[in-house]
Amino acid sequence: MYTQAMDIPSPERDETARGGPRSVREAEYEAEIDAKVARGEFIEAKDWMPEAYRKTLVRQISQHAHSEIVGMLPEGNWITRAPTLKRKAILLAKVQDEGGHGMYLYAAAETLGVARDDLVDALHSGKAKYSSIFNYPTLNWADIGVIGWLVDGAAIMNQIPLCRCSYGPYARAMIRICKEESFHQRQGYDLLLTMMKGTPEQRDLVQDAVNRWWWPALMMFGPHDSASTHSGDSIKWGIKRISNDDLRQKFVDAAVPQARVLGITLPDPALKWNEARGHWDFGPIDWSEFWNVVNGHGQCNRERLADRVQAWEDGAWVREAAMAHAEKQRKRDRLAA
Ligand SMILES: [Fe+2]
Ligand SMILES: [Fe+2]
């Protein structure tokens, strides 16, 4: 989900992105890449690519993969407590999809010449980021609906343009991911519609969840364009197609009528239709909260990371067994040949 909005400053990236002096051959190659991007063609794994482009993609795709995997945790928390068999089956399928998204994306990152173990190490050591939205807790059952509606909804806004991003393996992975995200969004909205037709207590739970998730969902699009220092490169390379603020506005414009149908109030007194702009105006975002969570001080940062590390350690025997099995197959194939 997530992805381009985490385009936050990194000193290491600044250095590589600016690059040193280039050879004539490199400059020619770069001109070729620029022309390909301009023609809307994909850059493939075996093509030459500028080092800064490769690094930006590794960083973005791996952060996206981490977000999918960490994103399984807040909802996984409710699988055993889903109110009906139907909702449990839907939630299981959804959480499993997120695991699958992580796998496609790690595989896409690997085509850029990085090892999956190194990416996972970077997550576990706290060096790599994942979307901050998953550092918020899921306190009641309506949170599951609101995550689908708003969090997966914001993810779709962010991700649809990535289906046309310039790096082929990433763009193709995103096509399937977006189809599944759209199911996630709809199951969330359907869950909320059901609760809103229920008791006053159920409606209160939905409103409470919306109050807590609305602003963090808007933060998912990342800093304002004026503060997003790396957007220029990403747009030039065709990785990013639409700016953070434009995506955020599209999201607000879509969410307001959906909130009306649900019968809930979005927690923003400044929300107002602007006839001249043809868009909904909304209030200021508390960026201090955003940076606080990005920098590790959200409500669940420690818990999420600890859970991921634990899951990795608990799964060691599965990875060892899979490797041993693959080795056995290889030996058999060799003998048969
Ligand atoms: Fe996903
Ligand atoms: Fe999703």
Side-chain angles (χ1 to χ4, degrees):
M1 106 177 13
Y2 333 110
T3 78
Q4 61 187 29
M6 286 182 296
D7 202 18
I8 49 177
S10 128
E12 186 194 313
R13 185 164 172 245
D14 281 350
E15 237 167 68
T16 49
R18 301 295 146 230
R22 295 173 309 165
S23 69
V24 176
R25 191 77 193 103
E26 255 183 352
E28 280 169 16
Y29 274 140
E30 250 187 82
E32 248 172 66
I33 291 278
D34 290 348
K36 261 191 174 178
V37 170
R39 288 195 300 269
E41 287 170 24
F42 286 133
I43 294 159
E44 297 296 341
K46 287 183 179 164
D47 294 343
W48 181 90
M49 60 187 83
E51 188 52 17
Y53 174 81
R54 195 186 70 83
K55 284 202 161 153
T56 298
L57 279 169
V58 167
R59 186 166 163 277
Q60 176 166 332
I61 300 173
S62 63
Q63 286 184 350
H64 191 167
H66 300 328
S67 302
E68 300 284 355
I69 300 292
V70 176
M72 298 167 78
L73 297 169
E75 289 175 289
N77 181 36
W78 281 88
I79 292 173
T80 54
R81 286 173 284 160
T84 65
L85 183 59
K86 178 181 136 185
R87 291 290 171 200
K88 190 195 284 271
I90 294 172
L91 185 56
L92 263 173
K94 197 241 183 205
V95 172
Q96 204 172 325
D97 281 353
E98 306 298 9
H101 298 173
M103 295 305 116
Y104 314 149
L105 291 165
Y106 283 127
E110 283 176 310
T111 65
L112 291 157
V114 283
R116 190 178 301 207
D117 281 352
D118 292 340
L119 301 178
V120 171
D121 276 351
L123 171 68
H124 292 173
S125 66
K127 207 177 132 212
K129 299 277 182 225
Y130 56 87
S131 177
S132 280
I133 194 75
F134 302 119
N135 291 318
Y136 290 85
T138 41
L139 302 180
N140 79 53
W141 173 250
D143 287 37
I144 300 304
V146 171
I147 287 179
W149 174 40
L150 296 180
V151 176
D152 289 279
I156 294 168
M157 265 328 160
N158 255 323
Q159 291 178 359
I160 293 276
L162 290 173
C163 298
R164 292 185 292 119
C165 90
S166 58
Y167 188 56
Y170 192 25
R172 289 188 288 275
M174 290 317 300
I175 292 172
R176 176 162 174 178
I177 290 177
C178 283
K179 286 185 180 158
E180 292 175 352
E181 292 301 351
S182 129
F183 152 68
H184 299 171
Q185 197 266 356
R186 276 182 255 170
Q187 65 81 36
Y189 196 67
D190 175 73
L191 187 164
L192 297 176
L193 277 173
T194 307
M195 284 184 83
M196 290 304 286
K197 285 184 206 137
T199 62
E201 288 80 5
Q202 284 177 301
R203 285 194 285 278
D204 288 348
L205 288 177
V206 175
Q207 185 63 59
D208 170 61
V210 170
N211 292 348
R212 284 179 288 108
W213 289 95
W214 174 250
W215 289 106
L218 292 194
M219 293 174 201
M220 282 174 66
F221 297 93
H224 287 308
D225 297 343
S226 53
S228 183
T229 44
H230 298 298
S231 287
D233 288 338
S234 287
I235 285 176
K236 187 188 89 182
W237 286 323
I239 299 171
K240 184 171 182 162
R241 302 278 186 190
I242 308 180
S243 80
N244 294 355
D245 283 329
D246 287 349
L247 286 167
R248 190 169 10 247
Q249 183 70 61
K250 271 161 86 85
F251 175 75
V252 172
D253 290 348
V256 171
Q258 291 167 351
R260 285 208 175 140
V261 171
L262 271 180
I264 52 102
T265 308
L266 293 171
D268 180 0
L271 207 55
K272 196 167 162 261
W273 176 251
N274 184 322
E275 192 64 51
R277 290 202 310 124
H279 291 292
W280 285 87
D281 287 338
F282 53 95
I285 292 170
D286 178 2
W287 291 110
S288 64
E289 176 184 327
F290 174 78
W291 291 114
N292 194 40
V293 183
V294 169
N295 291 325
H297 312 298
Q299 293 177 61
C300 301
N301 295 56
R302 276 162 193 265
E303 185 187 326
R304 299 288 185 242
L305 213 50
D307 285 350
R308 275 316 313 158
V309 171
Q310 184 71 48
W312 181 255
E313 284 168 4
D314 290 349
W317 70 272
V318 180
R319 292 190 299 277
E320 279 160 25
M323 295 298 277
H325 181 70
E327 183 54 32
K328 204 165 76 183
Q329 293 283 84
R330 260 197 299 275
K331 272 187 190 154
R332 253 186 224 153
D333 291 348
R334 271 202 300 270
L335 278 177

